[in-house]
Amino acid sequence: MFTGIIEEIGVITNLIHEKGNLNITLESNITSDLKIDQSVAHNGVCLTVVEIKDNSYTVTAINETLEKTNLKHLSIGDKINLERAMKLGDRLDGHIVQGHVDQTAMCTNIESDNGSWIFSFEYDSSLNNITIEKGSITVNGVSLTVVNSKTNMFSVAIIPYTYEHTNFNTFIIGSIVNLEFDVLGKYVTKLISLNKI
């Protein structure tokens, strides 16, 4: 379980394809606090630490994860948003995030807005995921509030702190991002589709 509040940026130092899996090695300031088998969200994708060496650690993404997320587009030197799993008793500053990415989206517009930024994203609505105005969405692991919700697109407002401390500052039009839709919204959508409400 995560909150969508990014702790740190990691930098990809090595990528090794092994059968259908991808071993991802990163350098990060949180490496010294990690343990083998610990869960860490990488751009919103929950992955297990499998190796730690000096200031680097390695996680493995299986083929299904690669197919559903933007991890398949990674290159050495890329910056990744990192968040360790939530501790019981901590404040829930973002929203409930599972670390299970639902689908990807493409950045379609970036505009400066008097000291902040508005980022717009378009996604495939055939997967029945929805956003609502002022609802929660996770973009690359960042807990955000939806503005300008449409059938297959939405926008989010990014304040300077978030822009500087996440990989939002690397986005360009055409960037592919990971989306995790609000878990409560997913349950309601499923119940409606099953005629349970």
Side-chain angles (χ1 to χ4, degrees):
M1 190 74 70
F2 302 91
T3 68
I5 304 300
I6 303 304
E7 284 187 81
E8 185 62 55
I9 297 288
V11 178
I12 304 292
T13 59
N14 200 13
L15 297 166
I16 297 175
H17 291 272
E18 187 175 44
K19 298 184 180 176
N21 301 331
L22 178 63
N23 295 314
I24 306 165
T25 302
L26 307 94
E27 283 185 356
S28 164
N29 289 333
I30 64 170
T31 301
S32 61
D33 296 327
L34 298 179
K35 296 182 284 195
I36 301 294
D37 284 341
Q38 190 169 2
S39 295
V40 180
H42 298 74
N43 276 355
V45 182
C46 180
L47 298 171
T48 302
V49 175
V50 296
E51 183 180 355
I52 300 170
K53 187 175 181 182
D54 301 324
N55 196 36
S56 297
Y57 70 94
T58 301
V59 293
T60 301
I62 63 172
N63 190 53
E64 181 185 0
T65 302
L66 297 174
E67 288 178 5
K68 291 184 177 178
T69 70
N70 68 359
L71 298 183
K72 63 181 164 282
H73 302 297
L74 290 177
S75 299
I76 292 174
D78 283 354
K79 294 179 179 178
I80 300 290
N81 293 330
L82 302 176
E83 180 190 1
R84 287 175 287 177
M86 184 174 82
K87 293 180 190 173
L88 284 176
D90 277 0
R91 289 185 180 88
L92 183 60
D93 291 321
H95 71 282
I96 295 171
V97 177
Q98 295 179 297
H100 304 156
V101 170
D102 296 302
Q103 65 184 101
T104 58
M106 178 183 290
C107 182
T108 56
N109 195 40
I110 303 169
E111 53 187 90
S112 182
D113 185 34
N114 197 26
S116 61
W117 293 265
I118 304 293
F119 286 79
S120 297
F121 300 94
E122 189 172 302
Y123 61 94
D124 179 1
S125 60
S126 71
L127 299 176
N128 295 324
N129 291 309
I130 61 167
T131 60
I132 61 167
E133 203 77 19
K134 303 296 184 283
S136 295
I137 186 78
T138 307
V139 178
N140 267 10
V142 183
S143 172
L144 297 165
T145 301
V146 172
V147 295
N148 193 25
S149 174
K150 302 273 196 277
T151 301
N152 69 331
M153 67 82 57
F154 65 92
S155 300
V156 291
I158 301 298
I159 62 172
Y161 182 89
T162 303
Y163 186 83
E164 292 164 13
H165 291 88
T166 69
N167 63 9
F168 264 83
N169 59 39
T170 68
F171 293 178
I172 59 172
I173 292 173
S175 289
I176 303 297
V177 300
N178 293 325
L179 299 181
E180 181 180 330
F181 292 82
D182 181 58
V183 67
L184 299 176
K186 289 191 283 190
Y187 275 107
V188 171
T189 301
K190 183 69 171 179
L191 289 171
I192 290 171
S193 74
L194 296 172
N195 294 317
K196 299 289 186 184
I197 293 182

